Amino acid sequence: MTRLIEGDLVASTAGITIVVARFNELIVDSLLNGALTTLKRQGVQDKNITIVKVPGAFEIPLAAQLAAEQSDCAAVITLGAVIRGGTPHFDYVAGQAASGVTAVALKTGKPVVFGVLTTDSIEQAIERAGTKAGNKGADAAMTALEMINLIRKMA
Ligand code: INI
């Protein structure tokens, strides 16, 4: 018989830490609002949510690691907006943020959700921060809940 294991979206009573990069603050604030609204609508209590702010997406992995190492942290949601400019800086920042977040998840065994927008333009970022392409912060919150519940089933 085939066995299917998948996480549901039941609210976590363990801690969730949201690591937010302040760079491109207007956009990132919308992602944070989306994540918070979604967590609360799913029944996560304020006392179980911690917000950590860092300067830019490049700083996300270290803060995410420190958060994930806390015993009362069940998942980390990372939020940021890296928008392509005229220099290769974008590739370094976006690449290091993505690979750093992956490394933290694998090192700590906890879900570290990548809610960092990497876009070619401000318009694309706005579309993903609560306008026509939804809100990637809200999506990241759902992913965190699903992964918390999945990990519980697989442990
Ligand atoms: N940080 C971002 O989060 N988004 C960006 O678009 C960005 N750009 O374009 O430069 C950015 N740079 C700052 C970087 O994350 C670090 O804070 C900085 O390099 C100091 O380590």
Side-chain angles (χ1 to χ4, degrees):
M1 196 174 83
T2 308
R3 227 155 56 98
L4 169 67
I5 310 174
E6 66 183 340
D8 52 35
L9 299 171
V10 172
S12 166
T13 51
I16 295 177
T17 300
I18 308 177
V19 176
V20 194
R22 278 192 304 267
F23 207 100
N24 292 317
E25 197 161 33
L26 225 106
I27 291 181
V28 168
D29 277 353
S30 293
L31 298 177
L32 179 57
N33 271 334
L36 287 172
T37 304
T38 299
L39 290 177
K40 288 177 194 174
R41 286 183 69 182
Q42 292 299 123
V44 178
Q45 294 181 31
D46 280 329
K47 65 171 186 184
N48 293 322
I49 303 172
T50 303
I51 299 169
V52 176
K53 292 208 172 185
V54 295
F58 195 80
E59 282 71 42
I60 285 176
L62 177 58
Q65 178 159 308
L66 294 171
E69 283 171 351
Q70 304 294 313
S71 58
D72 62 348
C73 175
V76 179
I77 298 169
T78 65
L79 300 177
V82 192
I83 301 173
R84 194 180 285 281
T87 70
H89 196 65
F90 170 94
D91 299 296
Y92 292 108
V93 174
Q96 290 304 318
S99 56
V101 161
T102 306
V104 174
L106 296 177
K107 183 179 174 200
T108 61
K110 292 184 182 173
V112 184
V113 180
F114 192 62
V116 177
L117 299 179
T118 56
T119 64
D120 286 329
S121 66
I122 285 198
E123 289 72 23
Q124 286 178 349
I126 291 170
E127 282 173 14
R128 288 157 180 77
T131 60
K132 67 183 185 187
N135 185 312
K136 297 300 172 199
D139 294 350
M142 296 300 266
T143 301
L145 293 179
E146 180 171 342
M147 289 302 293
I148 288 170
N149 289 304
L150 175 69
I151 280 172
R152 288 205 176 121
K153 287 185 181 175
M154 294 188 77

